[in-house]
Amino acid sequence: AAGNGDIISSNQNKMKLLISALVISGAAAFAPSMGGRSMTSLDASVVYYSTSTGNTETVAQYIADAAGNGDIQEIGDASESEVAGFDGLIIGAPTWHTGADEQRSGTSWDDFLYDTLPNIELEGKNVAVFGMGDQEGYGDNYCDAAGELYDLFEAKGCKMFGLTSTDGYNHSDSKAERDGKFCGLMMDEDNQYDLSEDRAKAWVEQLKSEGFAF
């Protein structure tokens, strides 16, 4: 027959196993999820860009740094649900197809605007546009693609932010002008690269004052 000590030892072992099981199950309950970004709640803002020479990416980073989130993403890599998952969209493109009525950027934006954007519900989203251009080489079509972004996102019911003065620019014409102002922040890394960072900082402050969802 088992001694009293054996019974106590057996009970102690059972108790240890029970405690271990509770600890493991409790840890699992509080373990962080390893899944992707949750889409159940909206994130604040993102900077979406596409680029041909790298200039638009450079300026996108200036803007993201000024905004304090540092988050820039190539629009060609973005899914519909990801775009819809932000409160605020800062969007920027270069102009490559000068004089074109549509698909003016020559980048991933051209497909996105006409194949993907129509499928996304963006009513009421905060949107601000920036554009890249060359005032000296293409002064008649300065930042035309920014105007295309502005028009198509506005048509989706977005709330547009960040119009700026045309003062300090040397272009002769632009499809990015609305009622005497630019439809966002226009940049020229070819001729005014030394102004870009300060322009980005000032624009972000303007967006904040307008109540943009950062």
Side-chain angles (χ1 to χ4, degrees):
N4 193 42
D6 292 333
I7 295 172
I8 293 174
S9 177
S10 176
N11 287 338
Q12 286 176 337
N13 287 336
K14 290 178 182 177
M15 183 62 70
K16 286 178 182 178
L17 288 171
L18 178 61
I19 291 172
S20 296
L22 290 172
V23 169
I24 291 170
S25 63
F30 290 98
S33 170
M34 298 304 289
R37 180 166 64 86
S38 171
M39 299 308 297
T40 56
S41 62
L42 295 176
D43 286 340
S45 66
V46 65
V47 180
Y48 280 124
Y49 74 95
S50 195
T51 188
S52 295
T53 64
N55 286 341
T56 313
E57 182 177 7
T58 296
V59 168
Q61 193 63 64
Y62 289 157
I63 293 168
D65 289 344
N69 60 13
D71 188 11
I72 71 171
Q73 296 182 30
E74 158 66 52
I75 191 61
D77 297 332
S79 69
E80 294 178 15
S81 61
E82 285 172 343
V83 175
F86 289 96
D87 289 312
L89 306 172
I90 300 175
I91 55 176
T95 296
W96 199 256
H97 299 145
T98 54
D101 290 329
E102 60 182 40
Q103 296 188 324
R104 300 171 192 162
S105 78
T107 69
S108 299
W109 278 115
D110 293 349
D111 289 334
F112 178 88
L113 292 175
Y114 296 96
D115 297 337
T116 305
L117 183 62
N119 305 324
I120 308 176
E121 175 55 54
L122 295 175
E123 183 78 29
K125 297 285 188 185
N126 291 188
V127 173
V129 175
F130 69 98
M132 306 300 303
D134 177 351
Q135 299 166 81
E136 304 299 332
Y138 300 95
D140 292 336
N141 303 100
Y142 183 59
C143 294
D144 281 357
E148 186 178 16
L149 264 63
Y150 184 93
D151 290 343
L152 292 175
F153 274 83
E154 184 181 44
K156 290 291 292 182
C158 298
K159 184 178 180 182
M160 309 305 291
F161 289 75
L163 275 67
T164 61
S165 171
T166 59
D167 293 345
Y169 295 84
N170 302 315
H171 70 293
S172 55
D173 198 13
S174 173
K175 290 184 175 70
E177 289 188 28
R178 300 291 179 276
D179 299 323
K181 287 189 171 185
F182 283 132
C183 64
L185 175 66
M186 303 305 137
M187 297 286 219
D188 185 343
E189 284 290 280
D190 296 298
N191 306 290
Q192 294 180 331
Y193 59 87
D194 54 323
L195 302 177
S196 294
E197 270 193 278
D198 286 341
R199 280 175 170 169
K201 291 175 182 176
W203 191 54
V204 167
E205 289 306 309
Q206 176 187 333
L207 293 178
K208 290 178 179 178
S209 72
E210 294 176 3
F212 187 87
F214 280 109

